[in-house]
Amino acid sequence: MSPMDIDIDIDQFVDRYVGVWNEPDPVARRRAITELWDADGVETTESARYHGHDALEARIVEAHNDLVRDAGFVFRSADDATGHHDTITFTTHMIPAAGGDIAWTGRTFLTLGEKGLIRHEYQFTVDTPTEKEVSTRATAEDFLRRLGEGNPDRIAELFAEHVNWQLNWPDSGHPAVPWIRPRSTRADVADHFREIAAFHVPEKSAGTVSRVLVDGTDAIVLGDIRQTVKATGKPYTALCALHLTVVDGLITHYAVYEDSLTVTEALADQPVHR
């Protein structure tokens, strides 16, 4: 039997799941459990298996009382949920409610039934991100937010005064895309994004991020950019990967690997010879 296609908002579903573990009200918690898990739903951890709403409720109540109510922790999604067909996977952190370092990290894998409720859940304890990785991810996500806001000076504030800037383009560049050239300072960064904005329709600028991968001080951002050329009204979409290195909360290395041919052809409004 082929896998089913479940039509749900994955991020919203994961937020509801994480919220159950933080919920102090017994009535609201029970209702949330029945709205998330199938009546025959099963959760499997490294040490036990919980089958059905009653067992799941007892398990969640115990975890809430021990970890949230008594120990002062709170569960938070890592905002990395992804899924396809009838499956979802995501990361959850347990952190002090008053703020502080991550105390526990879990990776959860779900399979859903026809009604979009959890049939099987597998929970794994995984390595907690290091302080550097937390800082790197926070800076990368802040960069993406500011990029969406479109303010060049605000974007540049996240960069070190001197930046190792790399683009997959010859140093000589191309006259149709003058912003694709070497940069080295924070002021250069602001100019870079200011020039991009000058050639495109700001309200039609967009993009998607499919994944942010973090390893120590390095972050890889995978996605695409969508722009509309101001001079011609021609829209284009280009695949893109970014490599950021973050030191003390600032981006010191910025490498862009994008479909430069698509960008150039859109700006030149004609095919470009390779």
Side-chain angles (χ1 to χ4, degrees):
M1 183 173 64
S2 60
M4 298 173 292
D5 288 313
I6 303 297
D7 184 18
I8 62 171
D9 184 316
I10 291 177
D11 291 330
Q12 185 182 79
F13 190 90
V14 170
D15 286 343
R16 289 168 52 212
Y17 170 93
V18 175
V20 168
W21 302 85
N22 296 320
E23 178 56 61
D25 180 72
V27 175
R29 183 167 51 219
R30 176 70 183 196
R31 182 174 60 249
I33 289 170
T34 61
E35 292 175 349
L36 282 167
W37 278 270
D38 186 270
D40 289 325
V42 178
E43 181 195 46
T44 302
T45 69
E46 290 99 328
S47 59
R49 178 170 290 180
Y50 307 89
H51 182 193
H53 289 162
D54 290 344
L56 288 163
E57 182 178 20
R59 143 82 166 150
I60 293 170
V61 168
E62 181 180 13
H64 175 86
N65 290 346
D66 290 347
L67 301 172
V68 178
R69 186 193 66 187
D70 298 340
F73 290 105
V74 65
F75 292 96
R76 291 283 185 266
S77 166
D79 295 324
D80 63 349
T82 186
H84 58 77
H85 294 92
D86 58 347
T87 63
I88 300 174
T89 185
F90 56 92
T91 304
T92 304
H93 297 309
M94 186 177 76
I95 60 176
D101 295 336
I102 296 171
W104 174 86
T105 298
R107 188 71 184 169
T108 301
F109 179 83
L110 307 176
T111 61
L112 308 182
E114 293 181 1
K115 296 180 180 180
L117 300 178
I118 301 169
R119 292 281 295 168
H120 298 282
E121 173 191 348
Y122 300 92
Q123 188 181 103
F124 305 87
T125 296
V126 297
D127 291 340
T128 294
T130 65
E131 184 177 345
K132 284 184 179 180
E133 288 172 331
V134 172
S135 173
T136 299
R137 180 174 292 277
T139 299
E141 291 176 349
D142 194 12
F143 167 74
L144 294 172
R145 280 192 295 271
R146 297 188 188 200
L147 197 62
E149 294 169 0
N151 185 322
D153 292 318
R154 285 260 301 153
I155 296 169
E157 288 173 358
L158 285 175
F159 284 76
E161 187 58 46
H162 297 283
V163 184
N164 180 16
W165 185 276
Q166 296 181 2
L167 302 173
N168 60 328
W169 194 255
D171 288 347
S172 57
H174 189 284
V177 283
W179 66 85
I180 302 183
R181 66 175 189 270
R183 313 279 183 167
S184 61
T185 69
R186 182 181 293 154
D188 288 341
V189 173
D191 286 342
H192 172 81
F193 290 103
R194 199 171 284 116
E195 286 187 55
I196 292 177
F199 279 82
H200 298 93
V201 180
E203 56 270 23
K204 293 185 178 180
S205 296
T208 59
V209 175
S210 60
R211 189 66 59 88
V212 178
L213 306 172
V214 175
D215 181 14
T217 60
D218 294 304
I220 305 297
V221 181
L222 304 177
D224 63 49
I225 54 174
R226 296 192 294 274
Q227 297 276 21
T228 298
V229 181
K230 186 178 293 185
T232 64
K234 182 176 182 178
Y236 67 87
T237 300
L239 293 176
C240 181
L242 303 177
H243 175 198
L244 312 177
T245 299
V246 178
V247 177
D248 295 330
L250 295 175
I251 299 169
T252 61
H253 173 87
Y254 182 81
V256 184
Y257 308 94
E258 66 180 352
D259 183 0
S260 299
L261 180 61
T262 292
V263 177
T264 305
E265 288 184 336
L267 271 294
D269 202 26
Q270 61 182 353
V272 176
H273 295 296
R274 297 172 185 258

